[in-house]
Amino acid sequence: MPQLANRSLSGGDPEAKRRKIRKGTHSCWECRRRKTRCQYASAAAAVCVGCEARGSVCVSQEFPDEQPSTSERGLSQRLNKVEGLLEKLVDRLAPGFYTPDQPGEPALTSSASAEDDPDSSSDVLRPSATDVQHIRGIFDALREETSTYASSHTSYVPTPASTEGEVVPILPAKYAQVSKALHAVFPCQHDIEAIMAVGSSAYFIASFYNGIDGPCEPLSSISKIPPVTSHPAFLAKRLMQVINCYQKMTPAAIPQDLVCKEPFRPQISRMVNAVSDLVISNDDLVGSAEGLETIGLVSLYHANAGNLRKSWLSLRRAFSVALLMGVDKWPDSKPLRSVDPLSDPSTRSRASWVWFRLNFSDRYLSLLLGLSAASESDSFAEADVLAQIAPEERLSRLHAVITAKIIKRNQSSHKVGGDTAFGTTQAIDCDLELAAKSMGAEWWQSPVRHADPSTATPYELVRAHAHTLLQMNHQHLLILLHLPYMMRDPKERRWDYSKMTCLHASRELLRTYLFFRQLNQAASACRHTDYGALTAGMTLLLGYLDPNLRSRDAATACQRNADRELVCTVRDVMKGIADNEEDKLSRETSDIITRLLPLTDVDLMSESRGGLESAVRLEIPYLGTININPVNRRMPPQRLHQRQQNSGSSITPASTIYGDVRGYAEDNSLQSIAATNSASIDPSLQQSPQPPQPPQVTSSFVTLLGEDPNFSFQQFEPDLCSPCQFPELAADVDKWTFQGYDATFFESLFS
């Protein structure tokens, strides 16, 4: 029986000691244990048919039967199961990476048989020549804790410890191309490091979700370009972090030794478009901590760029993804699922903080745009949650709750009575007062924790920013809360508190804004501060339509001069930003303030002259023109009506005005006019279909403006022959500067 000596897949040693067996015995040990007939396909076959089918080792009974110990047997059984699972997993994720074992190749590993036999081993799967390194590490991946949070679409394989301990992600082919495209968009490593070294923007972005005092990623990880084999969501997150740091720099702060000479704005816009097109719009790539954070960072970019509507749309997408992920109910003790194999669960964004940040940003934008909030849930501000966080974080969450209440008040004011809405306003004011008292008087008296940008640490700068922004946000909420009651009849004393609150909050906000601009002069740094300053500036100047504030007594005159100087300083700061960065929003904000400044000039509004010689004119894009001309309440109604008609007709922006706004007069304290120009419209145009109305226009807006004698309104007349009368739904700031915020402001002023 010369053939039997070679019948062993394990390489039975021909020199091994042979056993004496009974004549005619041709079976192997495996078939003997299984009590099955041992047959060979041919006389020259080295493995019996049974062992070949089972994938077990075929050892002739001529050689000793060496069985492993019990512990080794159990281990081999488990390894066999793991190998079977790995074979299926690898075949699904990377088809074609593996080829069957070839004769003469060294075995990569061994395992038990498919039948859980302790003395058998299966055929070993072999990688192709170019993929040996990926396959060797696949067994080590099972021992990585991060594999628990790995994406169902992506497998991250750490190399063996004997190499360099790096992590090599294996991506499906459909994602590999996305990752390659995103990786190509990154600036070079030198430029990223140079940008990150400027100011405190990197620290701000790192702590954006978890808060200043919360755990955050090390800054060194943000400035490092991930490998091209990384998951697209992870690459997109890193790219958006870099973009937001770029956005917060002034032209003077840009390092001179950057490799890329492309202008910043086109470069940033190109990178954001790549992230939006390749990742944000792909539902399969955003269902992770990195995907959700990326959407939020895209929204932050658009908000700082002045694209409020695009920012709002991005936030609503983030809300949808967060709800599908269960972020609103996810415990902080369990990290969100990550697609980054090196992500540290202890520094990963916590679910409750991500949920709060989404709510805070959405409610603020919705309030500015006159839209509904995405969620009415205030789970992030429950009593037990507030008791565990720092005072400044607690105030920020209370602001989010109060913002939702103001939105709800604004949207229900036309459905409930005036007294009910005013009662709601007083209740919200009490909430703001309690929130302010929780910080202590000293915190409010000093936004002036002077932090010199040239010497302060990034943490100190971010802390100063947070302190300043919180104070501005509080004053902004006070203005927007009481704004609907500022222009009420001065004879009714119950409106006095709202008027004085608006004026006082406006002054405080403008002072804080000037301090903030000492910390950061970049136009796109915390853009919402500019909207707050515009709100405060317009509110303070329009407050001088009240005849009580046009008095010539010493105290009133002193306050009026101080207010004018304060507003002029803010205007000059905005104009300087506009000139330095060619920022359209800052330029038009300074223009609006300049147009309203005559309202503080008592001589121009002298009663003997009957008011301003020409009305203050504010053009609201795609809505119309508001003419402001303070009235002399002692003027006879006939003269008042004639003066307003002359004022309105002298500044008509077009030859025809579509719409019908009727004027009427009550007593000396309330008079209003508006030009009725419907007769001048071409009858053929009147028979044509009406053009679509622009966003934010409500039927009550024109009526409300007609109820105050200081204002007249001329509605925007579209060109019916033009196909593009109004901007796109989410037009950029260059095409629609205030995004409808200005219309919302005046609608609230007269609601």
Side-chain angles (χ1 to χ4, degrees), residues 480-518:
L480 296 177
L481 173 64
H482 291 281
L483 189 63
Y485 304 97
M486 195 185 75
M487 301 303 297
R488 299 297 178 95
D489 186 357
K491 292 182 179 180
E492 294 191 36
R493 301 300 301 275
R494 65 171 178 162
W495 315 123
D496 287 354
Y497 176 77
S498 291
K499 295 178 181 180
M500 298 309 298
T501 300
C502 283
L503 296 177
H504 176 75
S506 297
R507 296 181 184 111
E508 292 298 322
L509 193 153
L510 293 176
R511 294 190 188 103
T512 310
Y513 174 80
L514 293 176
F515 173 71
F516 171 78
R517 281 307 179 189
Q518 294 176 12

Side-chain angles (χ1 to χ4, degrees), residues 340-409:
D340 176 18
L342 294 179
S343 173
D344 183 359
S346 64
T347 61
R348 204 174 299 164
S349 296
R350 292 170 288 182
S352 64
W353 288 76
V354 173
W355 182 244
F356 156 67
R357 179 57 58 187
L358 293 177
N359 274 277
F360 180 89
S361 302
D362 172 79
R363 293 178 181 186
Y364 180 81
L365 286 178
S366 298
L367 181 59
L368 291 186
L369 296 175
L371 304 173
S372 301
S375 172
E376 294 184 358
S377 172
D378 295 329
S379 58
F380 54 83
E382 295 177 350
D384 57 335
V385 176
L386 296 178
Q388 301 175 8
I389 58 180
E392 291 188 349
E393 295 292 349
R394 181 171 60 248
L395 178 62
S396 184
R397 298 193 179 208
L398 291 175
H399 282 168
V401 174
I402 292 170
T403 302
K405 292 182 178 180
I406 298 176
I407 292 174
K408 191 173 182 180
R409 189 275 314 261

Side-chain angles (χ1 to χ4, degrees), residues 249-256:
M249 289 194 310
T250 61
I254 298 176
Q256 299 299 316

Side-chain angles (χ1 to χ4, degrees), residues 537-658:
M538 290 194 299
T539 302
L540 185 57
L541 293 174
L542 290 173
Y544 280 94
L545 294 173
D546 189 332
N548 295 326
L549 297 181
R550 299 204 292 266
S551 173
R552 294 180 179 273
D553 62 89
T556 305
C558 181
Q559 183 64 68
R560 185 167 53 245
N561 292 335
D563 289 344
R564 182 182 178 86
E565 182 179 356
L566 176 62
V567 172
C568 286
T569 304
V570 171
R571 179 206 52 189
D572 294 341
V573 168
M574 289 187 172
K575 188 175 181 181
I577 293 174
D579 294 339
N580 292 334
E581 302 190 35
E582 299 181 357
D583 185 64
K584 185 177 180 182
L585 193 147
S586 298
R587 188 179 308 283
E588 295 201 11
T589 298
S590 64
D591 289 344
I592 289 177
I593 293 176
T594 300
R595 293 189 182 192
L596 293 177
L597 273 175
L599 299 180
T600 61
D601 194 327
V602 177
D603 295 331
L604 291 178
M605 296 187 295
S606 173
E607 293 184 358
S608 61
R609 299 173 62 180
L612 295 173
E613 291 295 333
S614 61
V616 174
R617 176 183 177 182
L618 292 180
E619 295 180 357
I620 302 179
Y622 311 107
L623 180 62
T625 302
I626 296 178
N627 303 313
I628 308 171
N629 198 343
V631 301
N632 177 3
R633 297 184 182 274
R634 298 180 181 179
M635 186 185 303
Q638 296 81 3
R639 182 182 173 189
L640 171 64
H641 185 78
Q642 181 181 4
R643 189 202 68 167
Q644 291 176 327
Q645 280 187 327
N646 294 336
S647 175
S649 60
S650 64
I651 58 172
T652 302
S655 58
T656 58
I657 306 284
Y658 89 94

Side-chain angles (χ1 to χ4, degrees), residues 13 54 57 107 111 143 186 200 226 233 284-285 345 356 548 613 649:
D13 188 357
R54 291 186 295 268
V57 179
S111 64
R143 298 193 292 269
F186 272 84
S200 60
D284 295 334
L285 296 178
F356 156 67
N548 295 326
E613 291 295 333
S649 60

Side-chain angles (χ1 to χ4, degrees), residues 19 28-30 32-33 59-68 119:
R19 296 174 62 251
C28 65
W29 285 109
E30 180 66 18
R32 180 182 178 182
R33 280 192 297 271
V59 181
S60 172
Q61 292 187 44
E62 283 187 286
F63 302 99
D65 182 17
E66 299 178 354
Q67 293 190 4
D119 196 37

